[in-house]
């Protein structure tokens, strides 16, 4: 299996030189990333029983197939993994008298009232949890119990611990507890999703990242703000993403640099702007912690990469495990990018995909991982002043990403 993966790695090194890729720098980097994701996630889907012929076929497809086709395959590969994760979470959390494990009763007795954490603060509660009338009952497991049991089912979970990155801004880091194969979905990026039409509503606009290091942007311009999600919660509940905690809940070690105090940096959000009025989400989602992944220090290499994932909203039973809500009207506004600016092109979109989607992000392993810190290449723009701690993984990739 190691030999087969080596063949993949050698091919990955040639991607940027592939003549089929677009000559536009930004599009070039997007297509190179999709090409890599196609290889990694397809390799993961093959499983450990793959033979050399299977590997050769995937490499041949990566060399010949149009990027659009590879992108569709990546979406399918990621969706299958997310679906499997959701089924595991259902097995853990949905009541079933025949499958109730020993210890749940004692857990309920010793923890009669769930403690408040990120998600409950974000909802804005000042009193003990009161169930929304549409929220289904789930097993009374604490987040830590869910995390450990998920590891027993899929082989890994995530922890937040003091980072091994040697600078004070790193503080907390994201750690994989267990083992996963290359191409596995390691984490998902939670929070409020903003399309370019609603950038002005991001807290702190226009200097949105001045006090918020938990913003991330997809190639299509979609921004996700993970700050309101925090560390998640201890229950399944209704979440609209409208408020953020003034002080972040304490975890192991100190807080993350300037984000020690979280504030609303602009005018209060109008709930009418939220097209879907929020959703019932599972706060105990162990993988909804992608925003705590740190950038690697000098002489260290990233071990995950960003993957855009368009979650189909027709998958109603999975929706509770997708830790995002959309800011804005349900109907998408047409926008076009010119340089670093976005302009509205007219009315709302007519036509487009038949299936409505939620534009999210996942972190995908670029090699096999085992009990280690999750490191993500931030690819900060080299056209702006970057933090002193930032060491580019690949300066050319940074340049192309933000061209």
């Amino acid at each position: 299996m190691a030999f087969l993966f080596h063949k993949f790695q050698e091919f990955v090194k040639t991607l940027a030189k592939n003549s089929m890729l677009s000559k536009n720098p930004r599009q070039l980097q997007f297509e190179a990333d999709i090409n890599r994701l196609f290889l990694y996630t397809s390799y993961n889907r093959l499983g450990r029983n793959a033979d050399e012929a299977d590997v050769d076929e995937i490499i041949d497809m990566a060399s010949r197939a149009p990027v659009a086709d590879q992108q569709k395959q990546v979406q399918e590969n990621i969706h299958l993994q997310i679906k499997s994760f959701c089924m595991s979470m259902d097995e853990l959390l949905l009541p079933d008298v025949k499958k109730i494990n020993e210890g749940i009763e004692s857990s309920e007795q010793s923890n009669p009232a769930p403690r408040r954490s990120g998600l409950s603060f974000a909802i804005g509660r000042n009193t003990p949890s009161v169930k929304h009338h549409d929220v289904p009952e789930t097993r009374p497991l604490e987040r830590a119990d869910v995390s450990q049991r998920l590891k027993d089912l899929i082989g890994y979970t995530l922890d937040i611990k003091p980072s091994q990155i040697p600078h004070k801004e790193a503080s907390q880091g994201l750690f994989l507890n267990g083992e996963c194969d290359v191409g596995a979905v390691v984490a998902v990026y939670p929070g409020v999703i903003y399309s370019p039409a609603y950038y002005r509503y991001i807290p702190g606009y226009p200097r949105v990242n001045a006090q918020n290091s938990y913003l991330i942007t997809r190639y299509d311009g979609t921004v996700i703000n993970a700050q309101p999600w925090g560390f998640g919660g201890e229950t399944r509940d209704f979440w609209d993403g409208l408020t953020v905690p003034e002080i972040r809940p304490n975890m192991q070690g100190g807080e993350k640099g300037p984000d020690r105090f979280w504030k609303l940096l602009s005018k209060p959000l109008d709930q009418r702007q939220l097209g879907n009025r929020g959703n019932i989400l599972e706060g105990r989602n162990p993988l909804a912690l992608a925003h705590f992944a740190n950038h690697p220090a000098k002489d260290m290499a990233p071990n995950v990469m960003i993957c855009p994932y368009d979650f189909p909203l027709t998958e109603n039973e999975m929706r509770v495990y997708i830790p995002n809500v959309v800011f804005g009207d349900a109907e998408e506004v047409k926008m076009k990018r010119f340089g670093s600016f976005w302009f509205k092109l007219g009315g709302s979109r007519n036509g487009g995909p038949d299936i409505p989607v939620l534009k999210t992000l996942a972190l995908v392993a670029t090699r096999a991982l085992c009990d280690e810190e999750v490191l993500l290449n931030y690819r900060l723009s080299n056209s702006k002043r970057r933090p002193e701690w930032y060491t580019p993984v690949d300066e050319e990739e940074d340049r192309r990403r933000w061209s």
Side-chain angles (χ1 to χ4, degrees), residues 16 26 31 56 93 104-105 127 217 273 275-276 320 327-328 349 371 376:
R26 182 182 175 87
E31 294 180 1
D56 288 338
L93 293 173
I104 292 180
E105 232 177 79
T127 56
T217 308
Q273 295 286 351
N276 59 7
V320 70
F327 186 95
R349 184 183 68 188
D371 295 327
L376 171 68

Side-chain angles (χ1 to χ4, degrees), residues 16-65:
K17 300 177 182 179
N18 195 331
S19 60
M20 79 174 186
L21 298 178
S22 167
K23 301 304 180 182
N24 175 280
R26 182 182 175 87
Q27 186 66 16
L28 168 66
Q29 192 57 55
F30 170 73
E31 294 180 1
D33 287 349
I34 291 297
N35 218 208
R36 291 175 64 198
L37 288 165
F38 173 80
L39 286 167
Y40 290 141
T41 60
S42 298
Y43 181 86
N44 181 277
R45 189 169 175 179
L46 284 177
R48 303 192 177 190
N49 296 322
D51 57 29
E52 189 170 359
D54 294 327
V55 172
D56 288 338
E57 183 178 356
I58 289 179
I59 290 177
D60 183 65
M61 290 173 63
S63 302
R64 300 173 181 273

Side-chain angles (χ1 to χ4, degrees), residues 51-297:
D51 57 29
E52 189 170 359
D54 294 327
V55 172
D56 288 338
E57 183 178 356
I58 289 179
I59 290 177
D60 183 65
M61 290 173 63
S63 302
R64 300 173 181 273
V67 173
D69 290 345
Q70 293 186 45
Q71 189 174 6
K72 290 178 183 177
Q73 189 61 55
V74 169
Q75 290 293 312
E76 181 179 326
N77 294 343
I78 295 296
H79 184 69
L80 287 175
Q81 289 195 50
I82 296 289
K83 190 169 188 176
S84 177
F85 160 72
C86 292
M87 291 172 66
S88 296
M89 290 293 286
D90 277 347
E91 183 177 337
L92 294 174
L93 293 173
L94 294 188
D96 184 340
V97 176
K98 295 181 181 179
K99 293 184 179 180
I100 291 181
N101 298 324
E102 290 182 9
I104 292 180
E105 232 177 79
S106 59
S107 173
E108 185 176 14
Q109 292 171 359
S110 60
N111 300 285
R115 61 182 176 81
R116 297 177 72 203
S117 60
L119 182 58
S120 60
F121 273 103
I123 296 171
R125 290 199 186 95
N126 294 311
T127 56
S129 175
V130 177
K131 281 286 182 182
H132 190 276
H133 70 280
D134 289 330
V135 179
E137 288 296 323
T138 58
R139 292 178 178 175
L141 293 172
E142 284 199 345
R143 181 186 179 90
D145 297 324
V146 175
S147 183
Q148 181 57 48
R149 296 184 188 211
L150 180 69
K151 179 184 176 182
D152 295 338
L153 284 178
I154 70 173
Y156 64 93
T157 187
L158 296 173
D159 296 329
I160 304 297
K161 300 188 294 186
S163 177
Q164 297 173 348
I165 304 298
H167 64 78
K168 64 180 181 180
E169 292 295 319
S171 189
Q172 300 294 336
L174 181 65
F175 288 77
L176 184 115
N177 179 353
E179 299 181 20
C180 74
D181 292 328
V182 61
V185 172
V186 172
V188 290
Y189 209 92
V192 183
I193 298 172
Y194 296 85
S195 71
Y198 295 97
Y199 280 176
R200 66 188 182 279
Y201 293 102
I202 300 175
Y205 180 85
R207 299 181 67 246
V208 295
N209 59 353
Q211 296 287 335
N212 185 357
S213 58
Y214 297 98
L215 294 167
I216 195 166
T217 308
R218 296 185 7 152
Y219 274 102
D220 60 10
T222 301
V223 171
I224 304 177
N225 178 16
Q227 197 178 65
W229 181 266
F231 297 95
E234 292 286 352
T235 60
R236 178 173 298 193
D237 216 327
F238 184 84
W239 191 61
D240 55 24
L242 288 175
T243 57
V244 299
E246 291 185 2
I247 301 178
R248 209 167 99 183
N250 189 31
M251 292 291 283
Q252 300 179 41
E255 305 300 331
K256 191 169 182 178
D259 296 298
R260 183 180 300 273
F261 296 99
W262 289 5
K263 302 176 182 178
L264 283 176
L265 301 174
S266 64
K267 58 187 177 182
L269 306 184
D270 184 349
Q271 187 167 3
R272 290 172 299 177
Q273 295 286 351
L274 283 166
N276 59 7
R277 308 283 181 178
N279 287 92
I280 295 170
L281 301 181
E282 179 53 66
R284 296 164 291 181
N285 185 339
L287 300 192
L289 295 170
H291 51 307
F292 289 106
N294 279 320
H295 181 80

Side-chain angles (χ1 to χ4, degrees), residues 332-335 343-349:
E332 187 175 334
V333 178
K334 288 184 179 180
M335 302 289 289
F343 295 92
K344 190 179 295 187
L345 293 182
S348 299
R349 184 183 68 188

